[in-house]
Amino acid sequence: MPGQRKRKREAARRAAAYPGRAGRWEVVFETQDEAEWQAYVRRVRDSRETADPSELRLDTLCGRSVQPTTYRLSRFVPCDDHP
């Protein structure tokens, strides 16, 4: 699957940055309009809303003839129930 190696490296880097902390990806924005998605991502990057850009994940869920392409922006949320 394309990009799988990169995602594994990013997950390992994130685990090193947050030792002993687990987390999850929370969907912030999702649309099927590419222009709307690009504008939203641009606003988030310009606003400096997140301190660390590696906490953001940009996904393009490729569509087929029956299902359209979906664009998704997710943010990593560490779990607080670990010491």
Side-chain angles (χ1 to χ4, degrees):
M1 175 176 278
Q4 187 172 3
R5 185 176 304 152
K6 182 179 177 182
R7 284 191 297 272
K8 285 183 180 180
R9 276 186 273 154
E10 288 175 1
R13 185 172 40 87
R14 188 170 298 104
Y18 298 106
R21 296 184 73 186
R24 61 183 170 78
W25 288 101
E26 181 179 279
V27 176
V28 177
F29 183 75
E30 185 173 4
T31 185
Q32 294 177 349
D33 181 12
E34 184 178 8
E36 182 183 9
W37 180 67
Q38 289 175 348
Y40 187 84
V41 170
R42 194 173 302 114
R43 280 194 307 269
V44 169
R45 286 181 176 161
D46 291 345
S47 71
R48 306 284 184 212
E49 188 175 297
T50 58
D52 186 7
S54 69
E55 293 179 356
L56 295 178
R57 184 174 75 182
L58 306 172
D59 294 319
T60 303
L61 308 173
C62 296
R64 300 288 185 243
S65 59
V66 178
Q67 185 176 5
T69 300
T70 303
Y71 304 94
R72 183 183 295 164
L73 174 68
S74 302
R75 176 177 299 171
F76 183 74
V77 180
C79 294
D80 291 328
D81 56 352
H82 290 84

